[in-house]
Every structure is written in structure tokens, then in C-alpha cells.
Amino acid sequence: MELFELAIKFHFFRGRKTMDEEKDPQPTSPVAEEAQPAKKAKKPLSKKKKIIIGVIVALFVIGAVGGNGNGAGNTAASSDSQQSASTTVEKKEKKKTPAKVKVDKSELESYIDSYGSVAADGYTEDSYQAYSSALENAKSVDADEDATQSQVDQAKGNLYTAYNGLVEAFNPANYSWPAYRDVARNPDSYSGQKLAFKGKVLQVVEGDSETDLRIATDGGYDDVIFVGFDPSIMGGTRVLEDDTVTIYGTCVGQYSYQSTMGAKISLPGLYADQVEINQ
């Protein structure tokens, strides 16, 4: 506004000065007038034109000032626009963050309660170590708030497998000594039971994963049982014919095989957990 007033005053003063000069022109010497060639006199601007020019200049000044103001406004608007765009990006990023999936640990916790209190006594060292590690991992996954459903399911499965993989340590007191004739008369009724027999080795058939024996419990060729076992339980020691051995194993019921003569032979069968060579 101040620039506008200054512009008006400037053009008003200039117009007034011109008007005064028109009223009181300075005299010129007749000699000078005669010496100078005649020039076409410029027609002075009228008062109306001068006012119009002043108004135009004033409007030009106002426009320049307004332009600067608009520039600042544009800058502010640009800043607001950038801030708005930044806020929009932040909102989009928040929307992209996936919601936390709820993990079901109820079965894992049930397995820990059911299979988590087995004592080491009575089991082989290797099988119990595997079980203990699986139980520790299951408890760790259960306590982990960031555990995934896949991790929970895997921990549950590993615990179940390790529990069922526990192998009882050998204990002679867990085996009964039945009469041979009782087992031979009804071998399937003893299936799954832990039995013990002592006798003379009549035959040995060795294989990569299993060794088979025929043992006479009376020392002769009567009252024979069929025994199979994993040779690794012997620690490299071989069982030979005529050895006297004590067998501890699980009864498999009646075992039948074909002799070299083509005859079918049926005997009480055991799968040995322990084979002791007496002589």
C-alpha cells in the first residue's frame, strides 16, 4: 500500500512540475532562436494522459509486490503439499505392516504336560538325551512370543517322536523265566512279553543287520527257541555254535521257517535285547 501511495505522489508531483513549466516557460534569446534551425515542437502530454500513465505504473508496482506475496504463498503451499504427501506415505506404510498372526500353542503345551516328566532312570543314555533336548526346545518355543505356528508344530512333533523313541536300559529284573513247554504250547499268548532263556547254540546265521540263532534250552536238540538280534549289541563279539548263552528278549510269538529239506518248522521266537556268552 505504501508503494502505491509513493507511486501516486511521484507521478502527481512530476505532472505538476510539467504543468508549471508549461505555464512559465523560460525565455529564449531572439538571437539564439534565429541561429538555431527551426525544430518541430513536441506536443506536451495532456493532464489526462499523465494521470493514466501514473495509474498504470502504480498498478504495475502493485502487481510486482503481489507477485512476491504469491511466491511466498506458493512456497508455503508447496511446503504444505510436501508435508501432506509425507503424511500420506507414512499412513500407507502403516497400512502395509501385516497384522500379527495368532499362534495356537495349546497342543504343544498339552504335549509338554503329558510327556515332560520322564526321569532318566531306566532309559539308555542316547535315547534319553534326544528326549531331553526335544523337551527343552518345546518349552523354549512355548515361551517365545514371536514363535511361528510352523515352529510350534515342529517342536510338538519332535517331542512326540523323542518320547516314543525312549529305549529302556537293560535290566535283568524286567525279564521272566517261563518254562519252555508253557511258551511252546501257546507262544502267541506270550507275544510282547520280556522273557529270558539259557541254552546251547545249535546254529548261527549271520547277516548285515541281523544274526539268527537256534538255541536248545535243555542242552540237547529238544526244546529249541529261535532268536534274532542286531549284531551291534555284541560290540563286535561273535556268537559261535556250541556256545552257552543267556538270552534276554521280547517274545514275538510263534516263528515259522522252512528247513533245508523243505519242511516247515515252528518255534517260539524272541528278538534279543541282550545276549550273554557264558562259555
Side-chain angles (χ1 to χ4, degrees):
M1 188 65 184
E2 293 178 354
L3 291 175
F4 176 77
E5 292 177 355
L6 289 172
I8 295 297
K9 290 179 180 181
F10 172 77
H11 287 284
F12 177 77
F13 175 77
R14 184 175 179 183
R16 183 173 179 181
K17 182 178 180 181
T18 304
M19 291 172 63
D20 292 339
E21 290 176 350
E22 289 178 351
K23 290 180 181 180
D24 188 18
Q26 293 184 1
T28 57
S29 172
V31 176
E33 289 180 359
E34 292 180 357
Q36 296 178 357
K39 292 182 180 180
K40 187 177 180 181
K42 292 183 180 180
K43 187 177 179 180
L45 295 175
S46 64
K47 181 177 181 181
K48 183 177 181 180
K49 288 183 178 181
K50 293 176 180 179
I51 293 175
I52 292 173
I53 292 173
V55 172
I56 291 173
V57 173
L59 291 175
F60 177 79
V61 174
I62 293 172
V65 174
N68 291 335
N70 289 337
N74 291 337
T75 303
S78 176
S79 177
D80 292 341
S81 176
Q82 291 176 358
Q83 185 175 0
S84 176
S86 177
T87 304
T88 303
V89 171
E90 290 177 359
K91 288 181 178 179
K92 286 183 178 179
E93 289 178 352
K94 290 181 180 179
K95 288 181 179 179
K96 289 181 181 179
T97 303
K100 189 174 182 179
V101 179
K102 186 176 181 181
V103 176
D104 184 6
K105 297 182 178 179
S106 57
E107 288 190 5
L108 174 61
E109 293 169 353
S110 177
Y111 274 44
I112 293 174
D113 292 339
S114 300
Y115 309 130
S117 57
V118 179
D121 296 341
Y123 296 98
T124 61
E125 183 178 352
D126 290 343
S127 67
Y128 190 82
Q129 179 60 44
Y131 160 77
S132 179
S133 297
L135 177 60
E136 183 179 352
N137 179 67
K139 291 180 177 179
S140 176
V141 171
D142 184 42
D144 185 1
E145 295 182 356
D146 297 325
T148 64
Q149 190 65 55
S150 177
Q151 290 173 324
V152 170
D153 294 341
Q154 185 175 4
K156 178 185 67 177
N158 290 344
L159 176 59
Y160 181 79
T161 300
Y163 174 81
N164 286 282
L166 285 169
V167 178
E168 290 185 6
F170 175 71
N171 183 357
N174 294 332
Y175 298 81
S176 62
W177 292 78
Y180 172 82
R181 288 187 177 274
D182 292 340
V183 179
R185 190 177 303 278
N186 192 6
D188 290 339
S189 67
Y190 285 87
S191 181
Q193 294 185 32
K194 293 182 177 299
L195 308 179
F197 290 95
K198 185 177 180 179
K200 180 181 179 180
V201 178
L202 303 177
Q203 184 182 26
V204 179
V205 179
E206 295 179 327
D208 293 335
S209 60
E210 182 175 312
T211 297
D212 297 327
L213 308 175
R214 283 195 308 125
I215 299 174
T217 60
D218 63 352
Y221 282 87
D222 298 324
D223 301 345
V224 178
I225 62 173
F226 186 90
V227 177
F229 63 90
D230 185 340
S232 65
I233 67 173
M234 299 299 296
T237 301
R238 297 174 61 208
V239 178
L240 306 177
E241 292 182 5
D242 296 330
D243 282 345
T244 299
V245 294
T246 301
I247 304 297
Y248 300 89
T250 303
C251 181
V252 295
Q254 180 174 284
Y255 181 81
S256 298
Y257 66 96
Q258 193 171 17
S259 69
T260 56
M261 301 298 292
K264 181 180 179 180
I265 300 175
S266 296
L267 301 173
L270 273 76
Y271 193 82
D273 303 318
Q274 183 85 357
V275 177
E276 295 179 355
I277 300 175
N278 306 122
Q279 188 60 35

